[in-house]
């Protein structure tokens, strides 16, 4: 019997919010229900547990939360992560007034890890494997930014290199053709939970439609299951959502990141 959306949403709210989202945090400050998280390389992050009408309104706390990061000159970017199933009247308007910009909404996908297994082999000529060297991580990040049509951001590679040094279970998987990286994705086990996350999956446009994303998903899922993780979660774009739904994952809600950048 396939688990219901409500079952998976409850798992998400209980196991995958607040501290579970920020394993590499440098510092965490509380502000009511909000967690104000400082990451390395000038990144701030705001998250919170499930909010109902019985909790303080998030919009009332947003300005004070941003002020906390503005007072830290090393912080150049802040993300306020919102979820569609939370009680947050007025939050969108308040964040925009404060200078945040809403990114594209992403689907929160949850499912059984085994549902991502594929019965098909990797596409002919495609090699899959984990990477860890600094030069490989940098090359992977350049390729992923190219895949999504974004400028290369060296801070992303620096953050991943620092994370690998912690040996907390994160894995970086790449797909290569004739020695060239053409696709990649992260596997991030969530300590103390039954979940591992699939993040950052992308394939160069000219290599899409060949089963490379499927093969990368299969490899990461089997690696996670081998370490005892039962469930998978991912915040998915509209490109990857249908692929994950076809494999049995369920869309339980949406998340919209709001970004603020220092002038």
């Amino acid at each position: 019997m396939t688990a219901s959306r409500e079952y998976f949403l409850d798992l998400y709210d209980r196991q995958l919010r607040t501290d579970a989202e920020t394993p590499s945090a440098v510092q965490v400050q509380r502000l009511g229900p909000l967690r104000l998280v400082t990451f390395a390389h000038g990144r701030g992050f705001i998250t919170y547990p499930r909010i109902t009408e019985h909790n303080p309104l998030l919009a009332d706390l947003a300005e004070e939360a941003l002020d906390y990061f503005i007072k830290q000159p090393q912080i150049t970017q802040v993300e306020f992560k919102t979820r569609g199933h939370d009680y947050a009247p007025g939050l969108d308007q308040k964040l925009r007034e404060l200078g945040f910009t809403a990114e594209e909404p992403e689907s929160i996908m949850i499912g059984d890890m085994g549902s991502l297994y594929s019965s098909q082999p990797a596409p002919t000529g495609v090699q899959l494997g984990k990477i860890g060297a600094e030069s490989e991580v940098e090359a992977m990040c350049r390729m992923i930014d190219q895949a999504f049509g974004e400028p290369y951001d060296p801070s992303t590679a620096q953050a991943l290199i620092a994370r690998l040094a912690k040996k907390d279970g994160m894995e970086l998987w790449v797909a290569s053709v004739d020695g060239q990286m053409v696709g990649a994705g992260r596997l991030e086990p969530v300590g103390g939970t039954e979940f591992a996350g699939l993040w950052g999956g992308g394939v160069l446009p000219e290599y899409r439609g060949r089963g490379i994303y499927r093969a990368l998903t299969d490899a990461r899922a089997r690696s996670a299951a081998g370490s005892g993780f039962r469930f998978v979660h991912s915040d998915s774009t509209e490109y990857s959502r249908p692929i994950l739904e076809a494999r049995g994952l369920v869309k339980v809600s949406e998340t919209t990141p709001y970004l603020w950048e220092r002038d």
Side-chain angles (χ1 to χ4, degrees):
M1 177 179 177
T2 302
S4 68
R5 171 186 174 275
E6 291 73 22
Y7 173 78
F8 283 136
L9 182 58
D10 179 64
L11 284 176
Y12 173 82
D13 283 334
R14 287 191 292 109
Q15 296 193 32
L16 293 176
R17 299 182 68 158
T18 64
D19 294 341
E21 300 174 78
T22 57
S24 57
V26 174
Q27 181 177 336
V28 179
Q29 179 70 34
R30 299 287 187 89
L31 176 62
L34 297 181
R35 264 75 164 179
L36 312 182
V37 183
T38 301
F39 288 115
H41 308 293
R43 295 186 302 125
F45 181 73
I46 303 171
T47 188
Y48 50 91
R50 176 70 189 275
I51 298 295
T52 71
E53 61 272 24
H54 303 297
N55 285 295
L57 296 181
L58 296 178
D60 295 339
L61 299 172
E63 185 170 1
E64 186 176 350
L66 179 59
D67 284 344
Y68 169 79
F69 289 110
I70 289 177
K71 293 174 181 177
Q72 302 180 58
Q74 77 275 17
I75 298 295
T76 59
Q77 183 184 83
V78 179
E79 176 184 339
F80 197 122
K81 184 166 184 172
T82 69
R83 281 85 168 185
H85 63 289
D86 286 328
Y87 180 75
L91 181 60
D92 172 81
Q93 179 180 347
K94 184 63 176 180
L95 291 176
R96 293 177 188 273
E97 290 174 356
L98 292 172
F100 285 85
T101 301
E103 300 290 287
E104 287 295 318
E106 296 182 329
S107 298
I108 300 173
M109 308 296 294
I110 304 286
D112 293 307
M113 191 66 69
S115 66
L116 296 181
Y117 295 171
S118 174
S119 60
Q120 304 178 47
T124 302
V126 176
Q127 293 80 44
L128 302 173
K130 292 185 289 185
I131 63 168
E134 292 188 13
S135 59
E136 294 174 323
V137 175
E138 181 179 329
M140 183 199 77
C141 291
R142 288 184 182 277
M143 184 273 299
I144 287 292
D145 284 341
Q146 181 182 347
F148 287 111
E150 299 175 351
Y152 171 62
D153 182 357
S155 68
T156 303
Q158 293 166 5
L160 290 176
I161 291 168
R163 180 82 181 274
L164 284 172
K166 293 185 175 183
K167 301 185 183 299
D168 62 0
M170 183 186 74
E171 298 176 1
L172 304 179
W173 285 80
V174 299
S176 302
V177 175
D178 295 328
Q180 175 193 354
M181 291 185 188
V182 300
R186 302 194 311 277
L187 168 64
E188 296 199 11
V190 183
T193 77
E194 301 171 279
F195 280 90
L198 300 187
W199 302 99
V203 177
L204 292 176
E206 61 269 31
Y207 288 91
R208 292 173 185 166
R210 303 186 187 184
I212 294 175
Y213 184 86
R214 168 189 53 77
L216 280 167
T217 300
D218 174 83
R220 288 179 288 168
R222 292 181 185 275
S223 180
S227 297
F229 293 95
R230 294 180 56 197
F231 303 110
V232 60
H233 73 107
S234 179
D235 292 350
S236 300
T237 65
E238 282 305 291
Y239 173 77
S240 56
R241 178 191 57 77
I243 300 173
L244 296 178
E245 283 184 330
R247 304 290 289 278
L249 269 66
V250 177
K251 178 179 177 178
V252 299
S253 187
E254 284 189 344
T255 177
T256 301
Y258 288 75
L259 294 183
W260 173 89
E261 294 187 336
R262 192 181 297 273
D263 292 335

